[in-house]
Amino acid sequence: YKRQVLLGRSCRTEEQGRGATADPELDYFCTGPVWETPTKPGRAAVGLALPRFAAEITAPGGEAAGRVFFAIGGIDEDRVPAVLGTGAERIVVVRAVTGADDPEAAARSLRAAVTG
């Protein structure tokens, strides 16, 4: 059995996002926290502009075309449309699942909201 390892980096600025896309050792990067969240205490929200920037540079024809990123931080099912509206195609959630009465149903619902 050979373990597969994925490496990623959290980014809070466009400069950090560009640095992550230029690092050949990284498999993905995250942008956020989009909204404030208790899972990232003391980190102010970066808003929707950063995932929008990441979507632009990773899109076909962008300077980092094909690189993978996730929007992260304070995302729940009600906020998924706003995140997808930036061009982001992937999200990371914690509380939206772990804090749900039915975590499995929450995860399925979030997946459906993202994948359509």
Side-chain angles (χ1 to χ4, degrees), residues 60-83:
E63 65 190 70
R67 295 303 304 255
V68 174
F69 83 95
F70 294 80
I72 188 171
I75 300 170
D76 58 23
E77 191 171 353
D78 291 339
R79 291 176 167 168
V80 166
V83 174

Side-chain angles (χ1 to χ4, degrees), residues 9 20-21 26-30 54 58 64-70 90:
R9 180 182 298 160
T21 63
L26 296 179
D27 299 295
Y28 69 92
F29 66 104
C30 293
T58 59
R67 295 303 304 255
V68 174
F69 83 95
F70 294 80
R90 298 166 187 87

Side-chain angles (χ1 to χ4, degrees), residues 1 15 18-19 23 27 33 38 42 47 50 52 60 70-71 76 80 90 95 97 101 107-108 114:
Y1 171 76
E15 180 180 38
R18 277 197 172 95
D23 187 337
D27 299 295
L50 191 57
R52 183 173 293 112
F70 294 80
D76 58 23
V80 166
R90 298 166 187 87
R95 285 181 311 115
V97 172
D101 291 335
R108 289 182 190 282
V114 172

Side-chain angles (χ1 to χ4, degrees), residues 6-54:
L6 297 177
L7 296 176
R9 180 182 298 160
S10 292
C11 302
R12 298 183 41 71
T13 66
E14 289 182 11
E15 180 180 38
Q16 290 174 347
R18 277 197 172 95
T21 63
D23 187 337
E25 299 295 317
L26 296 179
D27 299 295
Y28 69 92
F29 66 104
C30 293
T31 59
V34 178
W35 287 277
E36 287 189 25
T37 174
T39 58
K40 296 194 177 295
R43 293 193 185 156
V46 300
L48 293 167
L50 191 57
R52 183 173 293 112
F53 166 79

